[in-house]
Amino acid sequence: REVTTRSIATRVEAAVPAGEHVTLRGGARAGLDDYDVADTGAEAGGQSPEGSYLSSTIRSRTDLAIDAWTDASLRPSRKLEVVPGLRAALYASDGATAVAVEPRLSARFQVSPRVALLHALGVAYQPPTFVAALPGFQIAGLRRGLQRAVQASYGVEVLLASRTTATATVYRQMFSNMSDALGNRSSSLSGYERRAEARSEGVATGLELSVRRSLTQALGGIVSYTLSTSTRRVGNDTFPSAYDRRHVLSAALSNAL
């Protein structure tokens, strides 16, 4: 099939001081994607079940996404910053609509000149997704609702030297109504279409350790290590996610010549 995509998007953001210890921020975005699908007949005959299913999900449609967000940076003292926020979004696609309301809260406690405690909690939604972004491809659609994640993290940040910090963070993420064609490896699901259409729940828990030096320095970068586990559940069947990576080590360096 031949897919022609037309897209238009706009966004606006603003930040306004509302006193010595308060800053209000906000923004809005809107995006419109139009997909025109023409059947060339090239895939007729000889398609695998996976290919036949994928082709059936690519159809002409118009997708609309509108969202607005706001938060407030509250600094009642030099040692405390609290940031409550809220995001609201409207999605429309293929005759279906969905609304998301996402509250979030973060805080930073400066317990000493070199040590700070970091806390964050929030809810996030997004439309159904596939392993890779394909033009015009939409798995499951909005009629079965949005994917949801509840995320929480707690960390400690230590200033080691000028412009160099070390951070240790523990996190937990809980997912529901997930479209996860690759990750749904449940033994109760047979056939590619059932795995692709099934909605799952999941949990990811981990510890991240990192050391970073500001990129504005002559030598800067970050080294991080993550120990984590990620599971999925479909019905009564619980299994490791296809994205489960117990150990991840990454590094990036910059050098000003």
Side-chain angles (χ1 to χ4, degrees):
R1 296 186 176 189
E2 184 178 273
V3 181
T4 302
T5 305
R6 306 174 187 86
S7 300
I8 185 172
T10 184
R11 65 183 294 171
V12 60
E13 294 182 354
V16 179
E20 184 180 356
H21 304 293
V22 179
T23 300
L24 301 179
R25 298 175 295 217
R29 294 176 293 185
L32 187 69
D33 298 298
D34 181 72
Y35 301 98
D36 186 9
V37 181
D39 192 348
T40 63
E43 71 273 9
Q47 273 197 314
S48 65
E50 292 85 352
S52 178
Y53 169 72
L54 293 177
S55 295
S56 70
T57 64
I58 301 176
R59 53 185 177 269
S60 298
R61 69 177 195 278
T62 299
D63 291 352
L64 174 67
I66 301 173
D67 75 273
W69 64 272
T70 184
D71 67 21
S73 174
L74 310 177
R75 301 175 299 278
S77 73
R78 290 182 300 173
K79 295 184 177 182
L80 174 62
E81 181 184 20
V82 180
V83 183
L86 184 68
R87 175 181 178 268
L90 169 67
Y91 302 95
S93 176
D94 203 23
T97 59
V99 175
V101 178
E102 303 174 354
R104 56 196 64 180
L105 178 67
S106 65
R108 179 186 178 93
F109 302 88
Q110 195 73 42
V111 296
S112 77
R114 289 183 173 270
V115 180
L117 302 180
L118 312 174
H119 305 271
L121 177 66
V123 180
Y125 291 86
Q126 72 175 39
T129 54
F130 188 58
V131 178
L134 302 176
F137 180 71
Q138 184 186 61
I139 192 168
L142 291 177
R143 288 182 172 83
R144 298 182 61 187
L146 300 169
Q147 303 178 95
R148 184 181 70 168
V150 179
Q151 305 166 328
S153 66
Y154 306 90
V156 56
E157 180 183 272
V158 179
L159 178 63
L160 300 178
S162 176
R163 304 284 185 171
T164 302
T165 58
T167 306
T169 304
V170 293
Y171 64 86
R172 185 172 178 85
Q173 301 172 331
M174 294 171 287
F175 310 101
S176 61
N177 204 37
M178 293 178 62
S179 59
D180 189 0
L182 181 62
N184 283 343
R185 300 183 294 177
S186 170
S187 58
S188 65
L189 299 175
S190 60
Y192 183 84
E193 182 173 349
R194 289 193 64 194
R195 293 197 306 272
E197 294 282 355
R199 295 296 181 100
S200 64
E201 298 180 351
V203 175
T205 305
L207 165 67
E208 183 181 54
L209 306 174
S210 67
V211 177
R212 68 178 65 208
R213 181 173 170 80
S214 174
L215 297 179
T216 61
Q217 303 301 296
L219 179 64
I222 179 172
V223 178
S224 68
Y225 166 73
T226 302
L227 172 66
S228 65
T229 180
S230 181
T231 60
R232 296 288 185 267
R233 181 165 66 87
V234 177
N236 295 322
D237 193 3
T238 301
F239 48 92
S241 166
Y243 303 99
D244 185 32
R245 299 292 183 270
R246 294 300 173 93
H247 306 279
V248 178
L249 177 65
S250 59
L253 297 176
S254 69
N255 184 25
L257 301 177

